[in-house]
C-alpha cells in the first residue's frame, strides 16, 4: 500500500437533506441536518489507519438520515478532532492549545464506534487527553448535531433521562433547582394546608409573606419521607427557609392533622370571594379587593357589575371593553381588529377555562396547531411545555414553544412567524381572542396571502412589557367541530424562539414557578450568569451561551440534571 497520506479536500458543505419526522407531542415537520465536521491529526497514525479513518468519514458524508460526517482541513473549523496523541505537549505541536480546549478531542475508536452505530456516541470515554476530558464530554455533538433541536422520534415527550439519586438526596439544598420535587409529595396534605396561608397572604397583597410560604412549600415538597415528630426534630426543622412560625405550623399539623388558621381562612367569606374573583382572567388581587370593597361577593354580582348576560356567550367578540383616548373620547372599534379577551369575556368563559384539559386534548391541540404552522413554514420544531411537561394528567392551559433547526437561517425564519400563525388560526376559527396582556393584532383587510403583513403591528407588539427576545401570543383557542366532543375554549400560549434560545425557552416555560425563580437566582449568585427563557448569558461580558440541548443548560450552569417531572417545586 502506498505510504502517501491522504488529505481531505476542503469543499463547501453540501446542501443539508431534509428528514421527515412525526411525533404526538414534540415534533419537527422536516429538518435540515448539518454534518459533524471531523479533523484528523495524522501524527502517530500509520498510513493504513489514516486511510481507514478517512474512509469512515466519507462513508457517512451522504447519509440520508441525521448522522452525517464531513472532513475539514482546519482544526478550528472542526466539531470533533480525532487523534492518537495522548499528551498535551505533543498535541500542541499540531494544534493550538486554545483551539484544542474548544473542541471535543477523541481517539479513533470514537469514530469507528459512532459509524458502526450510525450515531454520535458520547465522547467522555473516548477523550484522548485526560486534561480535556470534561471539555470533550461537554462539547461532544449530539447525533443530530446542529439540528439537535429535533426531538428523538421514538422517545415520548414525557419520558426523560431520569433524575439521579444524588439529586433526590439533595432535598436540603437552598435552591429548588438543585432538588427533586415530584408532582405529588408524601406530605401533600400538609402542603395543601400551607398553600391556603400562602394564597391568603397573596390575596391580601402581602407578597413578601406569600413568598416565604412558597419557599417553605418548595422545600417540603422535595422532602422524600412523611414528616413525623421524630424526623421533624432530627432533620426537618433544620431544612432551609423554615422560620419559627413555619415550624410551629408544621408541628401543629403533625399533632392535629390540620392547621387551625387554614381552616379559619377557608371558611372566610372574603377569602372565598377573592379566590373566586382572581380565577377570572384579567382579575388580580388588587382588582379583586376593589370588587369586594364594592360589596360584590358572587360571580352573578360580578356579571351585573360588568353589565354582561349569559346570552352574550353566543357572540363573545361583541362584548369587548370600550376604548377611550386620554381625553375621554370613545374610539370606534375597527372591524379588522382581533378581539382581546377582556374581563367580560373571562367571566363568560370562566367555567370552560376552569375545566381541566386532559393530556389527550393537549396533544390534539398541539397536533392541530403544528399542522397549521407547517402550511406556513415547514421544518419547525416544537415542544409542549408547562404543567403537561412536568407530568400533570390535566392542565389549566396549553403552552407550546416553537423554533427552527436551521442554525444559520433559523432566527430569520422565525421572525414574524408568530404573527402569521396567529392570524391563520384566527382566520380558520381556531383562535377566538388574544389575551389582553398582549397588544391586539390587526387583521389585514385583504385576504392573507402569506406575505402581506402590512396591517399587523411590528413583531414587537407580541412581546410583553419586559425586554424579551421571544415572540409570543397568548390566545383563546377552540378545537375544530367534532360530533364526539363538546367544543371548549382553552387558553393557549404560542412562544417562538430562535434556535440559539430554544432550549432556554423550553426550560423557562416548563416551570414550576419556584424552580424557575431559583434557577435564575442560582445563575446570578453562584455562576455570575443571567438565565431566563430568552437566553443564557455571562454577566461580565453579556456573551450569549448557546446550549445544544436541554441538559446542556444544566451543564453550563454547573447543575445536576433535574428532569421536568421533578421540577414541581410549587404546590
Amino acid at each position: 500500500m502506498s505510504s502517501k497520506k491522504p488529505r481531505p479536500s476542503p469543499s463547501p458543505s453540501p446542501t443539508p437533506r431534509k428528514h421527515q419526522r412525526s411525533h404526538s407531542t414534540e415534533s419537527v415537520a422536516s429538518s435540515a441536518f448539518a454534518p459533524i465536521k471531523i479533523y484528523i491529526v495524522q501524527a502517530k497514525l500509520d498510513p493504513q489507519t489514516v486511510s481507514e479513518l478517512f474512509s469512515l468519514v466519507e462513508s457517512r458524508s451522504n447519509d440520508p438520515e441525521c448522522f452525517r460526517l464531513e472532513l475539514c482541513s482546519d482544526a478550528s473549523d472542526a466539531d470533533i478532532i480525532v487523534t492518537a496523541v495522548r499528551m498535551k505537549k505533543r498535541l500542541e505541536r499540531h494544534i493550538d492549545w486554545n483551539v484544542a480546549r474548544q473542541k471535543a478531542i477523541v481517539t479513533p475508536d470514537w469514530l469507528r464506534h459512532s459509524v458502526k452505530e450510525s450515531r454520535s456516541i458520547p465522547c467522555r470515554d473516548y477523550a484522548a487527553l485526560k486534561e480535556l476530558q470534561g471539555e470533550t464530554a461537554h462539547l461532544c455533538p449530539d447525533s443530530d448535531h446542529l439540528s439537535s433541536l429535533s426531538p428523538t422520534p421514538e422517545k415520548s415527550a414525557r419520558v426523560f433521562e431520569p433524575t439521579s439519586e444524588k439529586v433526590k438526596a439533595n432535598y436540603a439544598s437552598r435552591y429548588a433547582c438543585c432538588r427533586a420535587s415530584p408532582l405529588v409529595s408524601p406530605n401533600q396534605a400538609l402542603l395543601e394546608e400551607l398553600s391556603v396561608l400562602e394564597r391568603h397572604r397573596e390575596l391580601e397583597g402581602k407578597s413578601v409573606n406569600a413568598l416565604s410560604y412558597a419557599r417553605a412549600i418548595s422545600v417540603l415538597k422535595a422532602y422524600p419521607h412523611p414528616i413525623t415528630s421524630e424526623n421533624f426534630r432530627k432533620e426537618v426543622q433544620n431544612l432551609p427557609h423554615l422560620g419559627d412560625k413555619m415550624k410551629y405550623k408544621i408541628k401543629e399539623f403533625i399533632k392535629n392533622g390540620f392547621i387551625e388558621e387554614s381552616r379559619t381562612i377557608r371558611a372566610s367569606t372574603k377569602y372565598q370571594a377573592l379566590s373566586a374573583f382572581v380565577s377570572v382572567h384579567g382579575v388580580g388581587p388588587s382588582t379583586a379587593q376593589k370588587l369586594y370593597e364594592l360589596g360584590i361577593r358572587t360571580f352573578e354580582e360580578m356579571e351585573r357589575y360588568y353589565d354582561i348576560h349569559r346570552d352574550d356567550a353566543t357572540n363573545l367578540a361583541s362584548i369587548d371593553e370600550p376604548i377611550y383616548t386620554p381625553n375621554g373620547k370613545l374610539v370606534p372599534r375597527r372591524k379588522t381588529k382581533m378581539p382581546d379577551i377582556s374581563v367580560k369575556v373571562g367571566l363568560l368563559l370562566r367555567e370552560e377555562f376552569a375545566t381541566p384539559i386532559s393530556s389527550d386534548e393537549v396533544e390534539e391541540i398541539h397536533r392541530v396547531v403544528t399542522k397549521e404552522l407547517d402550511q406556513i413554514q415547514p421544518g419547525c420544531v416544537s415542544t409542549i411545555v408547562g404543567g403537561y411537561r412536568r407530568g400533570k394528567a390535566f392542565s389549566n392551559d396549553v403552552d407550546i414553544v416553537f423554533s427552527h433547526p436551521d442554525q444559520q437561517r433559523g432566527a430569520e425564519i422565525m421572525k414574524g412567524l408568530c404573527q402569521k400563525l396567529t392570524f391563520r388560526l384566527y382566520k380558520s376559527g381556531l383562535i377566538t381572542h388574544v389575551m389582553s396582556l398582549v397588544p391586539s393584532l390587526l387583521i389585514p383587510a385583504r385576504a392573507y396571502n402569506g406575505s402581506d403583513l402590512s396591517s399587523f403591528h411590528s413583531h414587537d407588539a407580541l412581546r410583553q412589557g419586559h425586554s424579551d427576545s421571544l415572540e409570543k401570543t397568548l390566545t383563546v383557542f377552540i378545537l375544530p367541530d367534532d360530533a364526539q366532543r363538546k367544543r371548549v375554549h382553552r387558553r393557549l400560549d404560542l412562544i417562538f424562539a430562535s434556535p440559539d434560545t430554544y432550549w432556554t425557552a423550553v426550560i423557562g416555560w416548563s416551570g414550576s414557578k419556584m424552580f424557575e425563580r431559583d434557577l435564575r437566582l442560582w445563575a446570578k449568585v453562584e455562576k455570575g450568569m443571567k438565565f431566563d427563557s430568552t437566553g443564557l448569558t455571562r454577566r461580565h461580558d453579556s456573551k450569549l451561551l448557546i446550549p445544544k440541548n436541554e441538559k446542556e443548560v444544566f451543564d453550563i450552569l454547573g447543575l445536576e440534571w433535574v428532569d421536568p417531572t421533578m421540577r414541581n417545586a410549587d404546590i
Side-chain angles (χ1 to χ4, degrees):
M1 181 176 288
S2 172
S3 61
K4 185 178 180 180
K5 298 179 181 179
R7 305 280 182 184
S9 55
S11 59
S13 301
T15 303
R17 295 175 180 264
K18 292 188 176 180
H19 177 53
Q20 188 75 21
R21 288 185 175 184
S22 176
H23 197 278
S24 63
T25 50
E26 293 189 62
S27 67
V28 52
S30 56
S31 303
F33 292 95
I36 297 174
K37 295 184 178 180
I38 305 293
Y39 178 83
I40 298 175
V41 178
Q42 299 182 30
K44 294 195 70 175
L45 296 176
D46 59 65
Q48 287 183 332
T49 302
V50 172
S51 295
E52 175 206 1
L53 297 180
F54 281 10
S55 297
L56 287 172
V57 175
E58 290 168 357
S59 72
R60 305 297 303 192
S61 62
N62 293 310
D63 190 272
E65 300 295 328
C66 60
F67 182 57
R68 296 174 57 226
L69 302 177
E70 177 184 301
L71 287 168
C72 66
S73 58
D74 189 335
S76 62
D77 294 333
D79 303 303
I80 292 279
I81 294 176
V82 178
T83 181
V85 176
R86 308 300 293 264
M87 296 177 62
K88 174 184 175 182
K89 289 184 178 180
R90 183 71 181 271
L91 186 66
E92 285 181 307
R93 299 176 189 175
H94 308 280
I95 302 173
D96 182 89
W97 186 246
N98 290 327
V99 173
R101 293 181 61 185
Q102 300 175 44
K103 307 295 177 181
I105 302 181
V106 298
T107 64
D109 281 342
W110 176 89
L111 182 57
R112 295 185 181 107
H113 295 165
S114 291
V115 171
K116 183 178 180 180
E117 296 190 24
S118 298
R119 66 184 183 94
S120 173
I121 60 179
C123 298
R124 175 178 289 275
D125 294 339
Y126 298 88
L129 279 72
K130 289 184 178 180
E131 299 97 319
L132 298 180
Q133 188 177 43
E135 288 84 347
T136 294
H138 176 68
L139 296 169
C140 189
D142 298 333
S143 294
D144 290 348
H145 191 41
L146 294 181
S147 292
S148 61
L149 299 186
S150 308
T152 307
E154 66 275 10
K155 191 182 209 179
S156 168
R158 295 205 288 183
V159 176
F160 309 96
E161 178 180 336
T163 301
S164 69
E165 294 301 317
K166 178 181 177 181
V167 174
K168 292 178 181 178
N170 197 31
Y171 51 80
S173 172
R174 295 189 62 83
Y175 295 95
C177 56
C178 298
R179 303 190 293 260
S181 304
L183 192 62
V184 179
S185 162
N187 300 288
Q188 198 69 20
L190 167 62
L191 303 184
E192 294 287 352
E193 291 288 281
L194 293 175
S195 71
V196 173
L197 303 180
E198 177 198 357
R199 186 172 181 81
H200 174 257
R201 271 55 167 183
E202 184 179 359
L203 291 172
E204 294 292 336
K206 300 175 181 178
S207 56
V208 174
N209 290 343
L211 180 59
S212 296
Y213 276 99
R215 286 206 174 279
I217 289 170
S218 176
V219 171
L220 297 172
K221 189 77 180 291
Y223 190 68
H225 312 293
I227 297 175
T228 64
S229 297
E230 184 177 358
N231 62 24
F232 177 83
R233 290 192 302 271
K234 291 182 177 180
E235 186 173 30
V236 174
Q237 66 176 348
N238 297 319
L239 294 175
H241 306 303
L242 300 182
D244 291 339
K245 290 183 179 179
M246 204 70 65
K247 294 173 186 177
Y248 178 83
K249 300 293 184 186
I250 297 172
K251 287 191 290 185
E252 181 184 356
F253 181 86
I254 294 171
K255 179 181 178 181
N256 302 326
F258 62 88
I259 297 174
E260 185 60 38
E261 185 184 1
S262 298
R263 280 192 167 185
T264 302
I265 290 172
R266 279 196 186 96
S268 164
T269 301
K270 184 176 183 181
Y271 176 79
Q272 293 173 5
L274 295 181
S275 295
F277 296 161
V278 297
S279 70
V280 176
H281 173 78
V283 177
S286 178
T287 300
Q289 287 279 358
K290 292 177 181 177
L291 292 172
Y292 189 83
E293 290 169 2
L294 290 171
I296 297 171
R297 298 292 184 269
T298 65
F299 283 129
E300 291 72 20
E301 292 172 346
M302 196 175 175
E303 288 177 355
R304 287 196 293 272
Y305 174 78
Y306 282 100
D307 192 26
I308 62 175
H309 308 280
R310 300 309 298 177
D311 293 341
D312 292 333
T314 60
N315 189 17
L316 291 170
S318 67
I319 63 167
D320 287 339
E321 303 282 4
I323 299 177
Y324 297 92
T325 63
N327 63 6
K329 184 178 179 180
L330 180 65
V331 178
R333 287 197 171 274
R334 294 177 57 180
K335 293 182 180 179
T336 56
K337 181 179 180 298
M338 184 179 292
D340 288 342
I341 174 171
S342 61
V343 173
K344 289 185 176 182
V345 175
L347 266 171
L348 285 171
L349 295 179
R350 70 179 187 274
E351 293 179 359
E352 293 186 48
F353 285 169
T355 303
I357 311 173
S358 69
S359 296
D360 287 344
E361 186 178 349
V362 171
E363 292 165 9
E364 175 66 7
I365 291 172
H366 175 254
R367 187 193 66 78
V368 169
V369 172
T370 52
K371 182 179 178 180
E372 294 294 324
L373 178 60
D374 195 46
Q375 299 301 310
I376 304 172
Q377 178 59 64
C380 289
V381 295
S382 60
T383 299
I384 305 172
V385 288
Y388 169 89
R389 196 160 188 265
R390 299 200 310 276
K392 289 187 175 183
F394 293 92
S395 304
N396 297 319
D397 58 7
V398 182
D399 306 311
I400 309 173
V401 177
F402 300 91
S403 190
H404 195 281
D406 189 326
Q407 293 285 61
Q408 282 70 44
R409 298 179 54 248
E412 179 184 349
I413 291 171
M414 297 306 292
K415 187 176 182 180
L417 195 54
C418 182
Q419 295 171 327
K420 295 177 184 178
L421 177 60
T422 302
F423 171 73
R424 182 181 179 89
L425 295 174
Y426 177 76
K427 185 180 178 183
S428 62
L430 297 172
I431 280 180
T432 61
H433 293 75
V434 294
M435 298 296 191
S436 58
L437 287 173
V438 182
S440 302
L441 298 172
L442 299 179
I443 304 172
R446 299 182 299 280
Y448 171 63
N449 61 15
S451 60
D452 184 2
L453 294 171
S454 59
S455 296
F456 278 88
H457 292 301
S458 68
H459 70 276
D460 286 342
L462 288 176
R463 299 179 181 176
Q464 290 178 257
H466 63 284
S467 177
D468 194 333
S469 65
L470 302 177
E471 291 187 12
K472 54 187 172 289
T473 183
L474 316 182
T475 75
V476 177
F477 180 91
I478 190 164
L479 282 167
D481 286 322
D482 187 334
Q484 297 181 349
R485 72 173 166 231
K486 178 184 177 182
R487 298 184 77 199
V488 180
H489 291 84
R490 301 303 196 183
R491 291 171 53 198
L492 169 66
D493 298 345
L494 306 174
I495 305 101
F496 286 73
S498 70
D500 290 350
T501 61
Y502 180 70
W503 290 114
T504 54
V506 167
I507 291 176
W509 279 79
S510 289
S512 62
K513 185 187 297 184
M514 188 55 66
F515 187 93
E516 299 297 331
R517 180 190 288 271
D518 278 7
L519 194 58
R520 294 192 296 270
L521 188 63
W522 169 275
K524 177 181 179 180
V525 175
E526 304 295 338
K527 294 297 176 180
M529 298 181 184
K530 180 182 179 182
F531 170 86
D532 59 30
S533 60
T534 68
L536 178 60
T537 58
R538 295 192 307 222
R539 287 184 175 271
H540 73 274
D541 60 2
S542 298
K543 177 179 174 58
L544 178 67
L545 305 174
I546 305 173
K548 296 193 291 289
N549 52 57
E550 184 176 20
K551 190 173 183 298
E552 191 164 304
V553 176
F554 285 78
D555 292 340
I556 293 172
L557 289 171
L559 288 167
E560 294 284 338
W561 166 251
V562 180
D563 79 78
T565 66
M566 287 293 176
R567 300 178 199 165
N568 294 285
D570 301 332
I571 182 60

